Amino acid sequence: MSIFSNRPKVTPVPSPVAAPGTGSTAADAALPVEKSDAEWRQELTPEEYRVLRQAGTERPYTGEYWDSHTAGVYQCRACGAELFTSSEKFDSHCGWPSFWAPLADGTVRYIHDRTVGMDRVEVRCASCDSHLGHVFEGEGYGTPTDQRFCINSVSLKLVSTDDAAK
């Protein structure tokens, strides 16, 4: 089933319960993370805050991971939830990291986004509601899902397979 069919306008709703954990594993990703605006501002750099909490976009070809081929798991930079893996990452040549699917169902959520005069689907971390990027469909990439999750590098933290083994 496509995430693009029957797209109602969805307004983000803050998570109802504060989570004691960091959301650093796939199991923890189901636990909602709720922090005040002041806490987010204290924990994130100004650029991270602009993208993750204000739905900004980093400039293309400037992010840390747009051209990375390192094996590992990409976590949400805000809460540590595991979102994508290098196995689903592909070279789309768009200037941002691109994935053809998230790590698992429920790790990201989708919001119909009509900002900046476009009709698109925003991708957010299901754990902390941080903005990650957008997902596009039907662009002709030779991927199993025909989708391109175009994600801001600043929204992610890569834990390489080598680092995870240590």
Side-chain angles (χ1 to χ4, degrees):
M1 172 181 216
S2 173
I3 61 172
F4 294 90
S5 59
N6 195 19
R7 295 182 290 183
K9 183 177 180 186
V10 180
T11 305
V13 178
S15 301
V17 181
T22 62
S24 61
T25 67
D28 289 339
L31 299 173
V33 173
E34 185 177 290
K35 296 181 182 183
S36 70
D37 186 62
E39 289 173 308
W40 285 122
R41 284 182 186 273
Q42 183 177 8
E43 292 178 20
L44 302 171
T45 69
E47 177 69 357
E48 290 168 350
Y49 181 84
R50 185 183 71 78
V51 173
L52 289 158
R53 306 310 303 168
Q54 296 179 317
T57 301
E58 67 191 0
R59 291 188 345 257
Y61 304 102
T62 62
E64 182 177 6
Y65 304 122
W66 77 270
D67 196 27
S68 174
H69 296 91
T70 303
V73 174
Y74 290 86
Q75 298 176 339
C76 174
R77 188 161 318 235
C79 72
E82 295 179 343
L83 303 173
F84 300 95
T85 73
S86 57
S87 298
E88 290 79 33
K89 190 172 186 294
F90 70 101
D91 291 328
S92 68
H93 308 287
C94 70
W96 292 276
S98 297
F99 304 87
W100 51 265
L103 176 108
D105 286 341
T107 58
V108 299
R109 67 187 201 95
Y110 308 99
I111 297 173
H112 192 181
D113 177 6
R114 291 189 176 133
T115 61
V116 299
M118 299 176 75
D119 191 17
R120 54 194 181 162
V121 177
E122 179 184 1
V123 180
R124 290 188 175 224
C125 174
S127 183
C128 70
D129 199 40
S130 287
H131 172 77
L132 303 171
H134 292 85
V135 60
F136 303 95
E137 185 174 63
E139 297 178 312
Y141 291 105
T143 61
T145 62
D146 196 26
Q147 295 175 338
R148 176 175 58 98
F149 286 77
C150 183
I151 307 298
N152 292 285
S153 287
V154 74
S155 298
L156 302 172
K157 177 184 173 191
L158 173 61
V159 177
S160 73
T161 303
D162 293 340
D163 289 344
K166 293 178 185 176

